[in-house]
Amino acid sequence: MSVLFSPITLRGLTVPNRVWLSAMCQYSADDGVPTDWHLVHLGARAVGGFGLLLTEATAVTAAGRGSRRDTGLYTDAQVAGWRRVVGFAHGQGTLIGVQLGHAGRKSSARVPWEGSGSLPAAEGGWTAAAPSALPFGDLAVPRELTVDEIADIVRAFGEAAGRAVDAGFDVVEIHAGHGYLAHQFLSPLSNRRTDGYGGSFDHRVRFLREVVRAVRGRWPDDRPLLVRLSATDWVDGGWTPADTTVLAGLLATDGADLVDVSSGGLDPRQLITVGPGYQVPFAREVRSAGVPVGAVGLITDPRQAEAVVAGGSADVVLLARAALREPSWPLRAAHELGVPAGALPYPEQYLRGVWR
């Protein structure tokens, strides 16, 4: 039996396989509300056999959106929009989680295919806020958050978790990688504060730990809480895999159940060595902290994915671009790995296409 297609249990939730859909921004929301695009995009992957779907980074405040077209979970209308998507996934027997985030200094950016840089106020843009007044690339200089504003954002994460319960999500993931706000607090490259949220390692991880506790406080005890981390900034003097491993252990004590290990996104100077499974070694290192982990990054071949899990580098794999190219990747992978047809929940409408 394939290890990749064996179940995994986190708290009270058993996910039927270890091929999960990674969070990927779609830039297609309407005032933070998911649209038909999200229903079809996520619905296709629900039909395609993924054990767990993760939504794109979903903002906990309007000002925390990366762009004006990002999804949110800070209004009742957004809850209703997500409930529709969640209901379809559950109708296919698929589990679904929401990734909660705040873009920090990456907020108010243009939608990628509409240009680069920050969206000006005349076009609906707003002033980004961050741990320190340091810009990212060609984005506008953000203002530095006050301590009271930090507390407000922590509360907003908790409130969004409560709305995620109302929307019916099975899992919550906190986005603390890819240069988003929590990552900006973690890295000394973007955090130059001299108060209790900057300077030492313990101070720089404080914001994320407070967020995890706030979310855990509003999230049911029997449902898992995940955290996405960038294991390294790929820049000298930045956040490191060793830092990530230590932090993973701390987050487990705060209530996190799995660390989703990615890398980069904080600093345009990053020099990334890219190749098949290039981030898997980071996942393996973080797993040494005794915390379940997910691996992501150029995992494209079924046997490669099987080896990552069977070899002990990660507990699950997450697919991103490969899943954009092939919504039913898990069904093909199961076939190639010799999984019996009855072991995956094919929709009744597709049974005629099941291999014999």
Side-chain angles (χ1 to χ4, degrees), residues 8-354:
I8 179 172
T9 299
L10 299 171
R11 293 193 181 243
L13 187 73
T14 297
V15 186
N17 67 54
R18 298 164 188 253
V19 187
W20 297 359
L21 180 72
S22 188
M24 290 176 283
C25 287
Q26 299 297 298
Y27 307 106
S28 300
D30 182 4
D31 197 19
V33 178
T35 62
D36 285 349
W37 177 266
H38 298 88
L39 178 66
V40 174
H41 166 67
L42 291 167
R45 278 80 195 167
V47 170
F50 286 89
L52 173 70
L53 311 176
L54 290 171
T55 72
E56 63 194 79
T58 298
V60 299
T61 68
R65 291 173 297 161
S67 80
R68 63 183 177 83
R69 298 299 304 277
D70 283 21
T71 57
L73 202 44
Y74 49 87
T75 71
D76 291 342
Q78 292 159 0
V79 172
W82 280 122
R83 193 177 289 129
R84 177 171 175 245
V85 176
V86 170
F88 182 84
H90 285 169
Q92 309 309 307
T94 302
L95 300 172
I96 183 169
V98 62
Q99 186 187 73
L100 299 178
H102 188 297
R105 68 180 185 175
K106 285 187 166 183
S107 299
S108 193
R110 289 187 181 275
V111 170
W113 51 82
E114 295 178 353
S116 61
S118 295
L119 188 70
E123 297 179 32
W126 59 94
T127 301
S132 301
L134 300 170
F136 175 84
D138 62 353
L139 296 179
V141 177
R143 61 178 183 79
E144 183 172 304
L145 287 163
T146 68
V147 171
D148 287 344
E149 288 173 328
I150 292 171
D152 289 341
I153 294 172
V154 171
R155 280 193 293 274
F157 270 94
E159 291 166 0
R163 292 191 180 93
V165 175
D166 294 340
F169 283 106
D170 304 293
V171 170
V172 158
E173 177 171 84
I174 297 166
H175 197 345
H178 297 175
Y180 271 52
L181 181 63
H183 188 181
Q184 293 162 30
F185 273 97
L186 295 177
S187 177
L189 298 176
S190 50
N191 185 348
R192 303 290 175 79
R193 300 180 72 95
T194 57
D195 60 8
Y197 289 95
S200 70
F201 174 89
D202 287 342
H203 286 181
R204 285 183 283 113
V205 304
R206 178 182 171 186
F207 171 75
L208 176 56
R209 296 191 69 186
E210 289 180 351
V211 166
V212 169
R213 293 176 195 140
V215 170
R216 187 75 267 177
R218 297 290 297 272
W219 190 239
D221 287 341
D222 62 346
R223 298 187 204 177
L225 189 164
L226 319 180
V227 181
R228 165 156 278 191
L229 295 175
S230 283
T232 175
D233 291 337
W234 297 99
V235 178
D236 289 343
W239 185 256
T240 70
D243 292 331
T244 306
T245 303
V246 174
L247 176 58
L250 296 174
L251 296 179
T253 67
D254 295 328
D257 302 295
L258 182 143
V259 175
D260 175 0
V261 183
S262 188
S263 72
L266 181 99
D267 194 308
R269 296 173 297 170
Q270 64 188 15
L271 296 174
I272 303 178
T273 304
V274 177
Y278 69 103
Q279 295 175 151
V280 171
F282 299 141
R284 189 177 189 94
E285 182 173 346
V286 175
R287 196 170 187 251
S288 69
V291 181
V293 302
V296 66
L298 285 182
I299 298 173
T300 59
D301 179 77
R303 289 172 180 80
Q304 173 199 19
E306 176 77 17
V308 169
V309 178
S313 292
D315 299 274
V316 302
V317 297
L318 295 102
L319 270 60
R321 288 173 175 84
L324 293 181
R325 296 189 293 268
E326 188 178 0
S328 296
W329 190 97
L331 297 180
R332 176 175 66 84
H335 175 51
E336 293 184 11
L337 294 172
V339 176
L344 276 179
Y346 264 84
E348 292 179 352
Q349 297 90 332
Y350 287 1
L351 286 176
R352 75 188 72 173
V354 176

